[in-house]
Amino acid sequence: MNDVDTKSRTKVKPKIERPRLHKVILFNDDFTPREFVVMVLKAEFGMNADQAQQVMITAHRRGACVVAVFTKDVAETKATRATDAGRKMGFPLLFGTEPEE
Ligand code: TYC
């Protein structure tokens, strides 16, 4: 009875997974002024003028551009705030989010 060893000798090593990061994506449209897009990128994502210009022009040329990656909550909050900044001015500016692979 008591000589049956049921104690596992296998070490259990809990795997701690990092939270998946989410991309904030800027989509092009035909109406939002370029300078306004740059202003929003600087204000909401802390970009400098060169970075903001680069991201704006990439979205303008290719249709979309990754702005930055954050945890899910932060990405969604920033995308919503940035989209709302455009809406407030009557522009169809759109930021979305997407999980990283
Ligand atoms: N395409 C817009 C224009 O020509 C500028 C623009 C760039 C708008 C990037 C959105 O994500 C965007 N006025």
Side-chain angles (χ1 to χ4, degrees):
M1 236 338 186
N2 285 330
D3 59 359
V4 181
D5 185 1
T6 54
K7 195 152 185 245
S8 166
R9 259 173 289 270
T10 313
K11 271 258 167 67
V12 177
K13 188 177 176 192
K15 256 272 193 308
I16 307 294
E17 307 229 333
R18 288 175 199 287
R20 260 174 118 195
L21 293 176
H22 290 240
K23 300 183 267 196
V24 173
I25 299 164
L26 167 65
F27 294 98
N28 186 39
D29 67 72
D30 291 339
F31 302 102
T32 309
R34 293 180 183 209
E35 315 77 61
F36 185 82
V37 179
V38 169
M39 194 197 75
V40 170
L41 288 169
K42 291 201 280 192
E44 299 294 341
F45 298 94
M47 293 185 161
N48 66 36
D50 285 355
Q51 295 168 321
Q53 177 72 21
Q54 196 57 58
V55 167
M56 180 281 294
I57 207 70
T58 301
H60 176 75
R61 289 181 181 146
R62 304 174 68 100
C65 181
V66 175
V67 178
V69 294
F70 303 99
T71 54
K72 185 170 191 283
D73 275 12
V74 174
E76 285 171 354
T77 301
K78 285 189 181 283
T80 300
R81 281 177 52 102
T83 298
D84 285 350
R87 180 174 307 170
K88 236 171 60 189
M89 299 298 291
F91 298 132
L93 183 64
L94 180 63
F95 289 81
T97 66
E98 181 185 297
E100 267 196 332
E101 310 75 43

